[in-house]
């Protein structure tokens, strides 16, 4: 019996001391279970998403120290783990000290080097530089090392030979991206296979959660195990890491695949645990059934875990939410109530003259359903006072002494209301309550900047800003049906037209609401940001002209003609939102709170953008002219 333990641990970024302590504890647990090999995630000691902390040599030396502690503690057990590896005598291309993202294997207090290699560790070959990843900024790859040494990269890819229970095993050691080689010129797993007998593969990862990624990984890694006819162990971290603007959950889901490519064991998502399997029995173990949970269940789990860990990290125990009677703030309230408890949640309704009795009543109903703390603080008096001050205070041009007064338009008054709610009431209430206040924006609003700077775009975290509006509604239903088992988000909030209620033109009782037509715009905006080959106006107009727009966007058939009977109306709408998406909304996103990522492309570091302004290609201009003529 060869017992392999997948040590799915919470990796705390930037805290090698805490991570090493967790590893030592799990190693002791593995020994009591007579485990032969224990496998930890990629970058288990330092964490992965550390920004330019990687440039601190004192931190790097600390990671080396704690790595050595793990090596010395490997008496009687084989330990495989990820850490930064240093070559203090060499430099990266940026002139800083040489750093490798490395896979260490230790046994009886010593490192086991890959066959015939200079370094006593496996070096990551493939360096992702997309989405949240920025590996080549910090790490020297195996490919670069091969070029430096005048060798073929395949020459430096070799198995690690282990002696376990008196028998020799060749382990194919891979680091995360090395197993996702479809779009690379090199395939490390195939190179290992071609070099001779591999007994099992190990992929240590630091892989953030993305909706649908686990199913894709099971297809890809399962196929790899099947084609090689060898077991494959995938070990991922749990926890919360960030790139400043974008916050990622790491869900674990560490998995053992047998030689048939079947999933035979999987660690619980977001749970720190030791999953032990007998490698000799993998082939006869029953395959686990495919995941049948709806997407929204996975989204809820990621949000719940992410918000909970974020609050713990910043030591915040109390939360204030401005509630309007709309779906976004209601879902945020239901989510946070489950995390901090109703006693630590304060809901604040801040009506003006434009807020209907309907939405004020729905806000109170939501608070009653949650049983949390609740208050009503009207804003009309302070808004009127601000408008009066701006309108009646003279502005003097000091060059010639002339005077004028500002004209406060209805649009400016809308923004004054939004800022009064957030910058004055919510900020003050949060400070007095001993907590922070949330940003409740969804992804559609974030895409086109349908928010007010220093107003409803403010807050310590935008937990829903990676969810489209239809996902917010799905989350409301899921929390009512599955999380709470009763109606917490009132049906009236689900049914009411979405509206900011900042003017008479947005009267919900008259069916007036936001200018965003979510059943269509959710999908249009999604094509701007989440398609791997991002759509631009040229693509949209080509699909429109060909009659394939709804098919390409994934929205309801017939909805485009419903909203836009003519090409002129369609193009005007497209350009309105594209101008905002690539214009003012960029500036707003730069100043927005951190976003909790769940999708295949989140705003922030995952979607790097510059303030370049709108652009329309020549082909777009020609097609537009043709359609309008």
């Amino acid at each position: 019996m060869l017992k392999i333990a997948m040590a799915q641990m919470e990796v705390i970024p930037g805290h090698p001391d805490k991570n090493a302590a967790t590893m030592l504890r799990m190693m002791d647990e593995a020994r009591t279970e007579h485990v032969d090999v224990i496998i930890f995630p990629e970058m288990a000691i330092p964490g992965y998403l550390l920004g330019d902390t990687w440039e601190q040599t004192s931190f790097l030396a600390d990671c080396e120290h704690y790595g050595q502690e793990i090596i010395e503690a490997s008496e009687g057990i084989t330990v495989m783990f990820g850490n930064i590896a240093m070559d203090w005598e060499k430099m990266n291309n940026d002139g800083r000290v040489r750093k490798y993202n490395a896979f260490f294997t230790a046994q009886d207090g010593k490192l086991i080097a890959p066959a015939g290699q200079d370094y006593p560790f496996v070096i990551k070959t493939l360096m992702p530089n997309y989405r949240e990843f920025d590996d080549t900024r910090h790490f020297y790859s195996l490919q670069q090392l091969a070029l430096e040494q005048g060798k073929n990269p395949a020459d430096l890819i070799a198995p690690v030979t282990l002696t376990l229970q008196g028998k020799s095993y060749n382990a194919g050691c891979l680091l995360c991206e090395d197993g996702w080689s479809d779009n690379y010129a090199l395939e490390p797993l195939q190179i290992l296979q071609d070099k001779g007998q591999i007994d099992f593969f190990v992929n240590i990862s630091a892989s953030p959660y993305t909706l649908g990624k686990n199913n894709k990984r099971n297809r890809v890694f399962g196929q790899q195990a099947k084609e090689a006819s060898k077991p494959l162990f995938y070990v991922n971290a749990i926890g919360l890491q960030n790139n400043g603007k974008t916050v990622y959950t790491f869900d674990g889901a560490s998995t053992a695949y047998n030689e048939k490519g079947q999933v035979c064991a999987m660690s619980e998502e977001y749970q720190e645990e030791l999953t032990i399997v007998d490698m000799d029995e993998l082939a006869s173990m029953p395959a686990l059934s495919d995941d049948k949970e709806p997407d929204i269940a996975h989204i809820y789990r990621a949000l719940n875990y992410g918000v909970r860990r974020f609050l713990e990290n910043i030591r915040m125990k109390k939360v204030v939410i401005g509630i309007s009677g709309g779906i976004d703030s209601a879902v945020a309230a239901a989510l946070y109530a489950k995390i901090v408890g109703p006693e630590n949640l304060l809901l604040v309704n801040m009506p003006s003259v434009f807020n209907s009795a309907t939405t004020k009543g729905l806000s109170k109903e939501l608070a009653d359903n949650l049983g949390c703390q609740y208050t009503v603080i009207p804003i009309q008096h302070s808004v009127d006072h601000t408008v009066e001050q701006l309108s009646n205070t003279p502005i003097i041009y000091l060059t010639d002494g002339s005077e004028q007064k500002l004209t406060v338009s209805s649009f400016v008054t809308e923004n004054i209301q939004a800022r009064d709610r957030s910058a004055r009431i919510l900020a003050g209430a949060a400070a007095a309550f001993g907590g922070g206040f949330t940003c409740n924006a969804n992804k559609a609003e974030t895409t086109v900047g349908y928010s007010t700077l220093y107003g409803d775009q403010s807050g310590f975290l935008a937990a829903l800003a990676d969810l489209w509006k239809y996902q917010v509604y799905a989350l409301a239903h899921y929390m009512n049906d599955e999380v709470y088992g009763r109606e917490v988000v009132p049906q009236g909030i689900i049914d009411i037209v979405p509206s900011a209620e900042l003017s008479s033109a947005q009267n919900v009782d008259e069916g007036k609401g936001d200018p965003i037509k979510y059943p269509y715009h959710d999908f249009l905006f999604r094509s701007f940001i989440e398609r791997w080959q991002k759509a631009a106006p040229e693509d949209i107009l080509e699909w429109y002209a060909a009659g394939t727009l709804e098919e390409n966007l994934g929205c309801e058939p017939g909805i485009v003609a419903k909203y836009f009977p003519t090409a002129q109306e369609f193009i005007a709408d497209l350009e309105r939102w594209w101008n905002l998406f690539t214009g003012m909304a960029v500036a707003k996103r730069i100043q927005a709170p951190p976003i909790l990522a769940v999708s295949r492309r989140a705003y922030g570091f995952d979607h790097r953008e510059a303030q370049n302004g709108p652009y329309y290609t020549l082909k777009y201009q020609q097609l537009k002219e043709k359609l309008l003529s």
Side-chain angles (χ1 to χ4, degrees), residues 213-268:
K213 180 189 275 187
N214 287 350
N215 288 335
K216 182 178 181 181
R217 188 197 69 243
N218 286 339
R219 291 194 302 271
V220 172
F221 286 11
Q223 187 64 26
Q224 290 174 357
K226 182 179 179 180
E227 289 179 356
S229 294
K230 299 297 177 184
L232 188 155
F233 298 92
Y234 161 82
V235 180
N236 189 24
I238 63 167
L240 201 69
Q241 301 191 39
N242 70 86
N243 275 321
K245 201 69 172 176
T246 318
V247 182
Y248 300 91
T249 64
F250 287 68
D251 63 332
S254 301
T255 306
Y257 304 88
N258 66 15
E259 57 264 40
K260 301 173 187 176
Q262 298 169 322
V263 174
C264 293
M266 181 181 288
S267 304
E268 191 73 24

Side-chain angles (χ1 to χ4, degrees), residues 251-299:
D251 63 332
S254 301
T255 306
Y257 304 88
N258 66 15
E259 57 264 40
K260 301 173 187 176
Q262 298 169 322
V263 174
C264 293
M266 181 181 288
S267 304
E268 191 73 24
E269 290 180 353
Y270 301 110
Q271 294 294 319
E272 190 168 87
E273 64 182 32
L274 207 61
T275 302
I276 301 171
V277 297
D278 182 348
M279 194 173 80
D280 300 324
E281 295 181 356
L282 268 177
S284 59
M285 290 175 64
L288 300 182
S289 58
D290 292 338
D291 178 22
K292 301 297 184 184
E293 281 192 306
D295 286 349
I296 201 63
H298 291 279
I299 289 174

